[in-house]
Amino acid sequence: MTGQGEEPFIAAVKPLVDAIGGELVPPDEAGQDDVVLSWEGADVVAVRLPQLADSLDHILAALERRQGMPLADLDRRAKQEVVRMLEARGAFSVRHGVETVAGALGVSRFTVYNYLNREKGA
């Protein structure tokens, strides 16, 4: 899949692809929705983007790693901050987004809606 000069390029983009929950695939296996990346005029690698629902799960897992504990163990203020950050990233436009976030935070959907409404009213 790679020539010698292309490997630094792949190494450079891999953290970004991992952060968004994408997958690197050979460019000749790229599908219509994949993004083909070129380096020095040649197609090097394709990025298979995640489905939105998968992205939300990936974001929640990354938040848990960053916090160093399950999101359900956070205090109320930290949970509110998580909800604000997720809203800014469009998490609640995903089907079942509120339910997914509520489950990860160990709260009810009603509580997530309260956090969202509180932010809008502030």
Side-chain angles (χ1 to χ4, degrees):
M1 171 166 78
T2 63
Q4 203 168 9
E6 298 159 349
E7 290 181 23
F9 176 75
I10 292 173
V13 299
K14 186 169 182 356
L16 175 61
V17 173
D18 290 346
I20 63 169
E23 176 186 359
L24 295 173
V25 296
D28 59 344
E29 294 178 18
Q32 158 180 342
D33 294 329
D34 297 336
V35 179
V36 177
L37 303 177
S38 298
W39 180 254
E40 297 179 349
D43 291 345
V44 177
V45 68
V47 178
R48 184 155 295 148
L49 301 172
Q51 298 298 313
L52 285 176
D54 295 337
S55 291
L56 180 54
D57 290 337
H58 190 78
I59 291 167
L60 289 167
L63 283 171
E64 278 198 347
R65 284 191 303 276
R66 188 177 309 146
Q67 296 290 334
M69 68 175 71
L71 296 178
D73 292 347
L74 297 174
D75 64 25
R76 183 174 52 87
R77 173 172 263 145
K79 288 178 182 183
Q80 290 171 336
E81 182 60 34
V82 166
V83 168
R84 278 192 290 276
M85 191 277 309
L86 290 170
E87 182 179 30
R89 294 185 71 179
F92 301 110
S93 64
V94 175
R95 186 172 182 197
H96 303 297
V98 170
E99 292 86 348
T100 301
V101 171
L105 293 176
V107 299
S108 69
R109 290 180 315 144
F110 180 75
T111 297
V112 172
Y113 284 118
N114 279 341
Y115 291 169
L116 289 167
N117 289 335
R118 178 185 186 135
E119 179 65 20
K120 287 179 174 62

